[in-house]
Amino acid sequence: MIKKVFVKKVQQSGKEISQKQDVVAIEEPLEINLKSNGGKIFPVSVTMRTPGNDEELAVGFLHTEAILFSRKNIEQEIPSNLGFNWITINLSENFDPNIEKLKRNFYTSSSCGVCGKESIEAIHQTRRIPAEIVDIEVNLETLFSLPEELYKVQKTFQSTGGIHAAAFFSTDGKLISYREDVGRHNALDKLIGAEFLKSSKEAFFLQENILLLSGRASFELLQKAAMAGIQMVCAIGAPSSLAIETAENFGITLIGFLKNGSFNIYTNAERVKNLG
């Protein structure tokens, strides 16, 4: 979503000043709540996001924070309760997570003060392992093509220049889905949430999708990728040291500085074919 604003445009080192209409990405808070099967509502998180796809954002966030593991964990009706800048997701009758424990152990990003080793160990403790691990291989030329394919559909970024994107591709380079948001972690939660809501599996994993990030690869994005079982993460920008450590710990192929003709492979290069 975008908003029209008026700006003074300064050019030619201040010699040329004009007033023009511009567009910016909208940023508003979203409060995410859970409703237990006993009827009690628990506030889980408040995130600053671009309005739209809030249901996907909520369930994607709840999955990557190890609260939801399957579409069957929540009621069929989505959203359960949706208001202005808040959403409540109803848990299904046969699913009763220890919400108080989740609240005590909750963290959202590498900026929250949790040290790297504790953060990675927390993911190990909460992440479920798929019954069948499907490994993937991707051609070199396929990877080179991904940034351009994402840019073609980034309509909000093209109009505002101030928004992040995350996209899933098949191993042959076909775009599966993408989402945009002012927050890079929100864009990924929306993307994962969209696939989560379509899944009918007992345990939700995205083992066969390539994830492309429009910016840098931070720890919280690799944490979310690990929780969703993603095996290959590509970023247009740079990874952080903890992102690399997380990728190494969970067997994720991490690629950074991806553009047409070049990229860096930081972990598990064996999944990239035709390296020479």
Side-chain angles (χ1 to χ4, degrees), residues 38-51:
K40 188 174 181 180
I41 295 178
F42 297 86
V44 177
S45 179
V46 176
T47 186
M48 299 302 296
R49 97 300 189 196
T50 301

Side-chain angles (χ1 to χ4, degrees), residues 10-26:
V10 180
Q11 297 175 293
Q12 301 296 323
S13 300
K15 296 177 182 178
E16 183 180 328
I17 301 176
S18 60
Q19 184 165 327
K20 60 168 287 189
Q21 190 178 76
D22 200 0
V23 292
V24 296
I26 294 177

Side-chain angles (χ1 to χ4, degrees), residues 24-41:
V24 296
I26 294 177
E27 182 176 27
E28 292 179 354
L30 178 69
E31 178 183 311
I32 300 173
N33 302 296
L34 270 180
K35 186 176 181 180
S36 69
N37 51 37
K40 188 174 181 180
I41 295 178

Side-chain angles (χ1 to χ4, degrees), residues 106-121:
F106 190 73
Y107 69 93
T108 57
S109 74
S110 57
S111 62
C112 70
V114 180
C115 83
K117 289 184 179 179
E118 289 176 351
S119 300
I120 292 173
E121 182 59 29

Side-chain angles (χ1 to χ4, degrees), residues 30-34 44 47 52-65 67-68 74 78-79 82 86-89 186 189-190 193 196-197:
L30 178 69
E31 178 183 311
I32 300 173
N33 302 296
L34 270 180
V44 177
T47 186
N53 305 109
D54 288 340
E55 304 93 333
E56 297 171 357
L57 171 58
V59 298
F61 174 81
L62 293 169
H63 170 69
T64 59
E65 294 300 334
I67 298 173
L68 301 177
I74 54 181
I78 296 292
L82 179 62
W86 61 268
I87 184 171
T88 301
I89 302 297
N186 290 335
D189 279 337
K190 287 180 177 180
F196 186 94
L197 290 172

Side-chain angles (χ1 to χ4, degrees), residues 44-274:
V44 177
S45 179
V46 176
T47 186
M48 299 302 296
R49 97 300 189 196
T50 301
N53 305 109
D54 288 340
E55 304 93 333
E56 297 171 357
L57 171 58
V59 298
F61 174 81
L62 293 169
H63 170 69
T64 59
E65 294 300 334
I67 298 173
L68 301 177
F69 296 98
S70 165
R71 179 65 176 80
K72 296 179 180 180
N73 297 155
I74 54 181
E75 289 189 351
Q76 285 300 112
E77 190 72 23
I78 296 292
S80 300
N81 293 290
L82 179 62
F84 180 70
N85 288 339
W86 61 268
I87 184 171
T88 301
I89 302 297
N90 289 352
L91 297 175
S92 62
E93 290 186 6
N94 59 352
F95 183 65
D96 188 21
N98 188 336
I99 296 176
E100 290 299 328
K101 181 180 178 181
L102 290 170
K103 289 169 65 178
R104 289 196 298 271
N105 293 292
F106 190 73
Y107 69 93
T108 57
S109 74
S110 57
S111 62
C112 70
V114 180
C115 83
K117 289 184 179 179
E118 289 176 351
S119 300
I120 292 173
E121 182 59 29
I123 305 171
H124 275 293
Q125 291 173 359
T126 56
R127 178 178 180 259
R128 297 184 177 184
I129 305 300
E132 181 182 354
I133 297 176
V134 180
D135 211 351
I136 62 172
E137 287 187 328
V138 183
N139 282 317
L140 192 67
E141 294 300 324
T142 297
L143 292 171
F144 290 147
S145 71
L146 301 186
E148 179 62 25
E149 292 303 311
L150 176 58
Y151 182 73
K152 288 177 183 178
V153 297
Q154 278 189 268
K155 303 302 182 185
T156 309
F157 173 79
Q158 292 175 26
S159 61
T160 67
I163 203 157
H164 297 280
F168 284 137
F169 289 87
S170 63
T171 55
D172 59 357
K174 293 180 181 178
L175 179 66
I176 298 171
S177 58
Y178 77 100
R179 292 294 184 270
E180 292 181 295
D181 198 277
V182 288
R184 56 174 59 89
H185 57 289
N186 290 335
L188 181 52
D189 279 337
K190 287 180 177 180
L191 183 68
I192 292 173
E195 298 302 313
F196 186 94
L197 290 172
K198 293 187 292 185
S199 175
S200 59
K201 297 179 180 179
E202 287 293 334
F204 173 74
F205 292 101
L206 294 166
Q207 299 181 72
E208 299 181 46
N209 290 359
I210 304 169
L211 171 62
L212 176 62
L213 307 170
S214 65
R216 64 186 181 88
S218 58
F219 159 72
E220 64 266 28
L221 298 182
L222 266 294
Q223 174 251 324
K224 292 177 183 296
M227 289 299 299
I230 296 166
Q231 297 185 80
M232 181 172 287
V233 177
C234 303
I236 305 298
S240 68
S241 61
L242 190 53
I244 296 171
E245 188 176 343
T246 304
E248 189 68 59
N249 268 270
F250 289 93
I252 297 171
T253 299
L254 178 58
I255 292 172
F257 296 105
L258 175 61
K259 56 184 179 181
N260 187 17
S262 67
F263 55 77
N264 294 344
I265 308 178
Y266 294 89
T267 57
N268 300 290
E270 67 276 2
R271 291 195 180 98
V272 181
K273 297 170 64 177
N274 304 324

